[in-house]
Amino acid sequence: MIKFGAISITHKNFNINELGGLIPKDFSDMEMQIEHLMSLKNAMDIDELFFLNTCNRILFVFYADIVVTPTFCKKFLEKFHPNITEDKLNKFSENAELYQGSSVIEHLFKVGSSVDSMVVGEHEILGQVKHAFDFCLKNRLTGDRLRILMQSTIVNSKEVYTKTNIGKNAISVVSLAVDNLIANIEDKSQKIAFIGAGQTNSIAGKLLRKK
């Protein structure tokens, strides 16, 4: 269990607009993303690597014979984004949340069940975790150890949503933004244009149509 490690960079320690500064510019290309992650995995001598990137979270979970220290974190992030500026690298590495051993499992359970989310109780994060893991597994970044950990995370998260009131109200960052938008539009007949084709816009469009 001690070989599990994690580096978490979220809205809790950074402005959301800052998080994009850690993602390489060519990450929108899936082939380049796989190449980056595989190169990172090999360079850092990591057996298995999981990567999650949402609008307010960047999370790396790995299985390796490594002690997760601030020094390791800085080297890891520099390998992940070789072109990052020294100032940004220092800020990310100094303020990242580091986990080792059983604390990795606890953190993943909190992430999957939305306890660690910007909006506690939102359901989108579990789907994002599952999608990210499927991507990593398909491209041979992960293996059996992280597969078992992710399966446990999914089972635990579903139990939390089912057996507690955490997900009683269907809320998310997007739904709150849509509610705020509607509350501030005087003329409800106005048309709305979406720029971009991401998941956030898709969800926002569906919510607006319902309303």
Side-chain angles (χ1 to χ4, degrees), residues 110-188:
K110 287 181 178 179
V111 170
S113 60
S114 85
V115 173
D116 197 60
S117 292
M118 179 181 289
V119 178
V120 176
E122 56 99 356
H123 285 218
E124 292 171 14
I125 185 61
L126 183 56
Q128 292 168 332
V129 168
K130 291 167 66 176
H131 178 76
F133 175 69
D134 288 342
F135 173 82
C136 292
L137 184 63
K138 178 182 177 181
N139 292 289
R140 300 182 179 181
L141 293 163
T142 62
D144 287 338
R145 297 176 183 88
L146 285 184
R147 177 180 58 79
I148 293 171
L149 177 55
M150 290 301 166
Q151 286 176 341
S152 299
T153 298
I154 292 168
V155 170
N156 174 80
S157 300
K158 287 181 177 179
E159 286 191 4
V160 171
Y161 287 125
T162 303
K163 297 180 180 180
T164 73
N165 288 326
I166 194 171
K168 186 175 181 180
N169 298 314
I171 58 173
S172 66
V173 173
V174 181
S175 67
L176 293 177
V178 167
D179 288 343
N180 184 63
L181 174 64
I182 291 174
N184 286 282
I185 293 178
E186 294 182 3
D187 181 3
K188 297 297 190 281

Side-chain angles (χ1 to χ4, degrees), residues 81-123:
H81 192 340
N83 298 319
I84 194 171
T85 65
E86 187 69 18
D87 287 345
K88 286 185 178 180
L89 176 61
N90 288 334
K91 185 172 183 179
F92 280 122
S93 59
E94 289 170 5
N95 294 281
E97 296 176 5
L98 309 181
Y99 300 91
Q100 184 103 46
S102 60
S103 66
V104 176
I105 301 172
E106 182 180 354
H107 180 66
L108 266 178
F109 281 11
K110 287 181 178 179
V111 170
S113 60
S114 85
V115 173
D116 197 60
S117 292
M118 179 181 289
V119 178
V120 176
E122 56 99 356
H123 285 218

Side-chain angles (χ1 to χ4, degrees), residues 24 26-27 30-51 60 62 66 72 75-83 135-136 139-142:
D26 55 4
F27 243 51
M30 288 296 104
E31 293 299 322
M32 292 303 298
Q33 186 172 151
I34 295 167
E35 185 177 323
H36 268 289
L37 292 172
M38 189 60 73
S39 177
L40 173 67
K41 178 184 174 184
N42 293 332
M44 301 303 295
D45 197 23
I46 290 172
D47 297 326
E48 299 182 29
L49 175 65
F50 166 77
F51 171 69
F60 301 93
F62 42 86
I66 292 169
F72 168 79
K75 184 178 179 181
F76 182 97
L77 296 180
E78 187 175 24
K79 289 288 185 182
F80 175 67
H81 192 340
N83 298 319
F135 173 82
C136 292
N139 292 289
R140 300 182 179 181
L141 293 163
T142 62

